[in-house]
Amino acid sequence: MTTASVDERPDERALAAHFTARVAAEQRIEPRDWMPEGYRRTLVRQVAQHAHSEIIGMQPEGDWIASAPSLRRKSILLAKVQDEAGHGLYLYAAAETLGVDRADLTERLIGGRQKYSSIFNYPATGFADVGVIGWLVDGAAICNQVPLCRSSYGPYARAMVRICKEESFHQRQGYELLLRMMAGTPEQRAMVQDAVDRWWWPSLMMFGPPDAESPNTRQSMEWRVKRHTNDELRQRFVDMTVPQAERLGVTLPDPALRWNEERGHYDFGEPDWAEFRRVLSGDGPCNAERIRRRRAAHEDGAWVREAAAAYAAKRSAGETR
Ligand SMILES: [Fe+2]
Ligand SMILES: [Fe+2]
């Protein structure tokens, strides 16, 4: 290599300045563009965690497909759970554009080295849970994810556009199921209220720890990977959900919940952050079960991956011949 070509290579500082200017101008960063190592690492962590959450998130509701109360409910739920598999697929593909390998990410998940959303460590104990998960869990996911459609990383932002469209169907099917149940028998209404009581606080925890305890937020916002803080999104979710709960006729299990005229927002109580940390560290009601099943599914699918790889090798050998 000649000295001239070394001199022509832009130095790291110039590349970083160019990157910062592009992000500030709301331009997308694409896989071939230079990016700071910290930005790449943050995105790998966030996108992988998001992908894992979609796949693990199939479990609590997937259990109810076989015992759905009608053909209509079964086909809706089947479509929803399949969508979540698709979301996982788009997101693993987005993560791979950052130079990581999907098989390796799966190994990290089942080896307990990467996390997924704490919400999926709670059990779905009745069919009303399917409705409440759609309403609250997919509703919280929408609050989190709509701003990610403007994430600075192109492949992630584009995956989110499609995912958000499907999440809004998920939220609606859940709410519609609950409306039907609330118009039913006293037992059905009690099932809905019981599910709301169990899922409300874990849903608020989906936005992550309070801003004061979220050290990565500031950097992620500067990089425009994240657009709003955890507490802002949590507030937005509460403001959106309270009128829906009133319309449904359920009580949200928070005595501190009331409209604050001055702030123009609902005040609400503090989630149990000790429980959040416990569930996140692996000690929730279903953590072991979720990973055990994910690992078993991965092992059961080994022959499919091997067959697909053998077929691909055969085809490419045929093409080059
Ligand atoms: Fe999803
Ligand atoms: Fe969803």
Side-chain angles (χ1 to χ4, degrees):
M1 185 184 284
T2 65
T3 1
S5 74
V6 170
D7 288 343
E8 277 160 19
R9 220 179 332 166
D11 68 10
E12 193 107 326
R13 213 181 304 165
L15 289 166
H18 181 67
F19 170 87
T20 308
R22 285 191 58 185
V23 169
E26 299 287 342
Q27 285 171 6
R28 293 272 159 81
I29 304 300
E30 297 297 337
R32 286 199 188 87
D33 295 336
W34 184 91
M35 60 187 84
E37 189 45 31
Y39 176 84
R40 199 188 70 85
R41 265 204 316 270
T42 298
L43 271 164
V44 167
R45 196 191 59 228
Q46 184 173 330
V47 178
Q49 213 163 287
H50 193 164
H52 298 329
S53 302
E54 301 284 355
I55 298 298
I56 296 283
M58 296 168 71
Q59 290 188 32
E61 288 173 288
D63 286 341
W64 287 98
I65 294 172
S67 38
S70 68
L71 181 59
R72 178 168 178 267
R73 291 294 165 201
K74 193 192 283 277
S75 39
I76 293 172
L77 185 55
L78 199 58
K80 194 224 166 182
V81 173
Q82 279 181 340
D83 280 354
E84 305 301 6
H87 298 174
L89 197 65
Y90 310 153
L91 288 164
Y92 284 123
E96 285 192 315
T97 67
L98 291 156
V100 289
D101 177 58
R102 180 175 166 184
D104 179 51
L105 295 179
T106 303
E107 287 300 330
R108 286 196 230 178
L109 168 70
I110 59 183
R113 285 175 291 134
Q114 265 178 350
K115 296 197 185 313
Y116 54 90
S117 177
S118 60
I119 192 77
F120 301 117
N121 292 312
Y122 293 87
T125 56
F127 204 77
D129 290 46
V130 168
V132 171
I133 290 172
W135 175 40
L136 296 180
V137 176
D138 289 277
I142 292 170
C143 279
N144 256 331
Q145 293 173 6
V146 164
L148 294 176
C149 297
R150 294 185 296 124
S151 160
S152 59
Y153 189 58
Y156 190 32
R158 288 188 287 274
M160 291 318 304
V161 171
R162 182 150 174 200
I163 289 176
C164 281
K165 284 187 182 145
E166 293 175 349
E167 295 301 356
S168 107
F169 150 65
H170 298 173
Q171 207 240 4
R172 281 177 208 189
Q173 65 81 34
Y175 196 68
E176 189 260 353
L177 167 59
L178 297 178
L179 281 171
R180 289 287 291 273
M181 288 187 78
M182 289 304 283
T185 63
E187 287 80 6
Q188 285 176 306
R189 284 194 287 277
M191 277 175 75
V192 174
Q193 183 61 57
D194 170 62
V196 169
D197 290 344
R198 285 180 290 107
W199 289 94
W200 173 248
W201 291 108
S203 301
L204 292 191
M205 294 174 194
M206 285 175 70
F207 298 93
D211 292 349
E213 291 163 36
S214 176
N216 299 326
T217 291
R218 213 180 59 93
Q219 180 64 78
S220 287
M221 285 179 71
E222 266 169 31
W223 279 332
R224 315 257 163 119
V225 170
K226 211 168 158 168
R227 294 282 174 165
H228 305 280
T229 72
N230 298 351
D231 288 335
E232 283 167 13
L233 292 167
R234 195 167 5 251
Q235 179 74 63
R236 186 178 289 188
F237 174 69
V238 172
D239 290 347
M240 179 183 96
T241 308
V242 174
Q244 295 170 351
E246 283 166 2
R247 161 100 175 71
L248 203 55
V250 294
T251 309
L252 297 173
D254 179 1
L257 194 64
R258 66 181 57 87
W259 178 250
N260 183 324
E261 194 65 60
E262 215 167 286
R263 291 200 309 122
H265 292 288
Y266 283 94
D267 289 338
F268 57 98
E270 199 67 35
D272 180 350
W273 294 115
E275 176 184 315
F276 173 70
R277 282 188 294 271
R278 210 164 49 238
V279 173
L280 211 59
S281 71
D283 198 15
C286 303
N287 298 55
E289 163 79 359
R290 299 293 182 238
I291 292 298
R292 187 189 62 71
R293 285 175 66 182
R294 181 68 194 89
R295 183 179 293 128
H298 187 63
E299 285 163 7
D300 288 349
W303 70 272
V304 180
R305 292 189 297 278
E306 278 161 23
Y311 179 69
K314 210 167 153 186
R315 272 191 62 158
S316 67
E319 273 162 20
T320 51
R321 206 176 291 146

